[in-house]
Every structure is written in structure tokens, then in C-alpha cells.
Amino acid sequence: MSEHSTDLRETVRRRYAAAAAQVTEGGTACCGPQAVEVDDNFGGALYAAGEREALPAEAVAASLGCGNPTAVAELNEGERVLDLGSGGGIDVLLSARRVGPTGRAYGLDMTEEMLTLALANAAKAGATNVEFLKGTIEAIPLPANTIDVVISNCVINLSTDKPAVFAETFRVLKPGGRIGVSDVVADDTLTAGQRAERGDYVGCIAGALSFAEYSHGLRSAGFTDIKITPTHSVADSMHSAIVRAVKPVGASASATRDACCEVTACCTQAEEVTDPDTTVSEGKATAGCSCGR
């Protein structure tokens, strides 16, 4: 990862750590937690009143998303769901209710403060079919072919390595699995510079892909049936959008292998060798992999 990318990731981490702290500290007030300050295009107000009322106030207050992915993911009883960048846990808790006791909802976040808040919210909600994982969305700490649905709420635009996010999402999904993501997407006419003029990176604007770039990234990772539907404007020529795609039934995780290391999910707990006749270490050594062994 370049120094610039590392700096951006740290800036994002600090912003969300501060948001978690704000909600946690606000929870000590007599009137409950104070919602993180965002405009009308982001936050808990994008959820139906009935959904908000059924969750801990802290989960709603910590919401910084640009949509409601659980409303469009068409979750079914017994499914396993993964939320990329789960924050205070609002989408994990909603997903857990939809998949029921025979299903499971995972949340992945790199921010310790948000994970602590999410665990507290899960306990308040009495949710027993949830699990929160620490890690990045570019290296998901789950085995291949284990998740039915991947959701995310205005987080992928924050990644500095979106091809890795798409590849990892494809890897962990079961064949036939799907994504239902809310994200910020730019009109194809906007250059990267013009997007940056409309908002900063941590504000979910400067790092947004265009419609064509998003489709290309998903297609390159192996996804099919890609549909990107704008829902509302968040800046001039930039939109909150629902992104749907499917991992083909005949696909396997090997379609997204790391060509350098000859393993999937290189250098994470979930890494697997692509050649079953070798070990992970042997595959890396043969390929001359530069990452840790």
C-alpha cells in the first residue's frame, strides 16, 4: 500500500473512531445519544421509523450511511450475511432480524471504537446470531464460498483499493451469492478532480467511482447481473445508489486468486492456496510473492 493510501485509510479510521466516541459519550446524557452530525443525504433518517425504533438508539445515532441496503438485499431466513464496514452495527442488527435464528449476520470493521460500540448495541438488542470481526474490506477474514449475501452502506467508496474489495467480496460469496450495496456513485462525465471538488474523501465523495467504473470493477472480479440504480442526489452529478450483482453459480473463489501469491486472500487468516497439491507457503515461494509468509 502506498504512503498516500495508508494516510487516507488512517484519516478514515480516525473519523469513524471519533464518530463512535461521540455516540458513546452522548449516551451518558439524560436524553440519550446524540446522532453523528451529517446532512439529510446520510445517516439514520434514511431508515424507516419502525426499523429505527426497534434498534438501540446508539446504533441509529452512529449511522453514517447513504442508504438502507437491508431494504433491498432481499434477505431470507437462514442466510449468512456480511456487512462491509459495519460501524455501529445498524445493518448487522437489521440483517440478523431478517435471517432469523437459523441465519447469521457478520459485521466487518477496522475501527476498534466502532466494534466496541457495535458489540454493545448487539447486547442491548439481545441479538445472538451476530458476530463482529476486526479487519479491512480489502482482506476479509472469512473463508471462501461461505456467505450468501454481502451488504455495505457507503463504505466501498472509502477504500483506496476497490479492485481488492470486489475480489474479496466475490471470494467469500457462495456460488449464486449476491451483493446488495448502498454507495455513492458519480456520473460518468465527472473526472476524479471534479469529484474531489464536490467533497472530501472521508465525506464519501472524492473516492467515489463512476457508474461505468463501478460496473467494470464488479465485472472484472467475476460478477454478473450488475445493476446500479441511483436513489437520491448527494452532490452535483453524484448519487446515492443501490448496487446489485451476483456471483455466478458455476464460479469458484479461484476466479479471484492473487496472481502473485497464488493464494486467495493473501496474507490474511482466510488465505487458501489455489493449487490443492501445494501448501500456502509453497505456492507463495514458487510465485516469488512479496507479501509476508
Side-chain angles (χ1 to χ4, degrees), residues 79 102 129 141 214 254 279:
E79 289 189 317
T102 60
N129 59 338
Y214 221 118
S254 62
T279 66

Side-chain angles (χ1 to χ4, degrees), residues 1-54:
M1 183 182 293
S2 70
E3 183 176 347
H4 177 65
S5 296
T6 301
D7 289 345
L8 278 177
R9 176 180 285 182
E10 177 58 19
T11 299
V12 171
R13 190 202 64 77
R14 286 199 303 267
R15 191 251 178 144
Y16 285 87
Q22 177 182 326
V23 172
T24 301
E25 292 165 3
T28 62
C30 66
C31 300
Q34 180 68 37
V36 177
E37 186 175 347
V38 289
D39 63 36
D40 293 339
N41 297 314
F42 300 87
L46 297 174
Y47 294 83
E51 292 178 315
R52 298 196 303 269
E53 292 166 1

